Structure formats: C-alpha cells, structure tokens
Amino acid sequence: MKDNIYTDCFKTFFKIGLFTLGGGYAMIPIIESEIVDKRKWVTKEDFIDILAISQSCPGVFAINISTFIGYKLRKTRGAICATIGTALPSFIIILLIAMFFRQFQDNKAVAAMFRGIRPAVVALIAVPTFNLAKSAKIGLANCWIPIMSALAIWAFGVSPILIILLAAIGGYVYGKFIKPTE
C-alpha cells in the first residue's frame, strides 16, 4: 500500500459519501466498485463479511462499512480517515440545506425533483440487495430465510435485533453441527 493511504482512504470515502441518496444500502455498489474492484483494498469475500458485520452493528450502515474497511487498511487511523470521509459530505450537505431550507421549501420544482428521486432510490437499494443475495449464494434451497425474516418484521412486528440474533445462532449451529455431516 502507498504511504498516502490515509489521504487516498479519505478521498475515496468522501467521494462515496457524496452519493448517499437512499442511505447505506444504496451506497453498496459504489463502495464495492471503489474498494473491491478498482482499488482492491479488500477481496469480494471480505467485503461480504464486512457488510454482514456492519449490518449487525448499531449505527449508520455506511459509516460502519467505512470504519471496518479503514481499520482493515490501517487500523485506528485508517478507520478515522474513512469514517470522517464518509460522514463529512452528508454533514456539509445537511448544513447547507438547513441554512437555505426556508428559501426553497415551497418551490414546486424542488418538490417535483424529490418525487422523481424516490423511485430511483428504491432501485438503488434493490439492485445491491439482489447482488448480495447472489454473492451470498442464496438460492431456491435457502431463499425462505430472508423472505420469512422480512415477513416477520413487516407483518408481525418482530424486532430486527431478534432476527439478527436468531440468524447468528442458526448460522453457528449450521456451521458447527449440520454442515460437517453434509
């Protein structure tokens, strides 16, 4: 790795942070493209593991991802550079919006623009979800797990934390006792 990895890490995550429309899930393809494909800072398998851990941790998903990747690159200082790089654009944008919101809150063009952005955000979240399912080897045999989890959360109000804990226990039991016998 280069000596200026801290600067590269900050710049890369700052650029990623500029495109946070739709939140962390919408950023997954951008992060993967930059970190796995272009810069090769982590492997595809490590990236999937980082996504799973980041999703399981409390806090902002995109910040968690950047923190883990920064830590993997250069420990604490790398984590700090990546985290600040990811958070700073959103902070600046929200600050600017707060400063000028009253001037354009009733503007019909701005309202129409936000109505147009909503469907794009749904697509930005759906595409990485399907790509992750493919990468995680979710197929017909095990597609019931995310479907039932989503239904339990949506229809019955089951806590996502409970789903995560049950999935962790199920993964442990499968890896420890069932998979070795297959």
Side-chain angles (χ1 to χ4, degrees):
M1 286 182 221
K2 302 176 196 172
D3 291 332
N4 61 354
I5 189 72
Y6 300 113
T7 306
D8 288 346
C9 189
F10 177 83
K11 285 182 189 176
T12 300
F13 280 102
F14 188 88
K15 182 171 77 174
I16 291 168
L18 286 173
F19 300 99
T20 57
L21 292 174
Y25 292 100
M27 293 173 66
I28 292 172
I30 299 168
I31 296 171
E32 183 177 6
S33 172
E34 282 289 324
I35 304 306
V36 177
D37 301 333
K38 184 177 173 187
R39 300 194 179 271
K40 301 198 184 315
W41 283 343
V42 296
T43 65
K44 176 84 168 170
E45 293 77 24
D46 285 345
F47 185 70
I48 292 170
D49 291 342
I50 288 170
L51 288 178
I53 293 168
S54 298
Q55 195 171 22
S56 302
C57 293
V60 179
F61 185 55
I63 298 289
N64 291 347
I65 293 171
S66 62
T67 303
F68 283 121
I69 291 172
Y71 188 82
K72 186 164 179 59
L73 292 175
R74 284 287 194 261
K75 303 292 180 208
T76 303
R77 287 184 182 173
I80 290 169
C81 288
T83 302
I84 292 172
T86 303
L88 194 56
S90 295
F91 175 77
I92 292 169
I93 291 167
I94 290 170
L95 184 63
L96 290 172
I97 289 173
M99 290 170 55
F100 300 107
F101 181 70
R102 293 212 184 272
Q103 294 173 1
F104 66 85
Q105 72 183 17
D106 296 325
N107 186 316
K108 291 182 182 183
V110 172
M113 182 179 69
F114 281 116
R115 280 194 305 274
I117 288 174
R118 286 185 194 131
V121 168
V122 171
L124 287 172
I125 294 170
V127 169
T129 301
F130 290 117
N131 289 339
L132 281 173
K134 229 184 333 182
S135 297
K137 296 178 178 71
I138 294 179
L140 292 177
N142 58 1
C143 69
W144 63 271
I145 298 170
I147 292 170
M148 294 306 291
S149 298
L151 285 174
I153 293 168
W154 176 70
F156 302 111
V158 175
S159 169
I161 295 170
L162 179 62
I163 299 291
I164 292 169
L165 290 173
L166 291 173
I169 292 167
Y172 175 78
V173 169
Y174 177 79
K176 187 80 170 168
F177 302 108
I178 299 170
K179 190 173 182 176
T181 62
E182 289 179 351

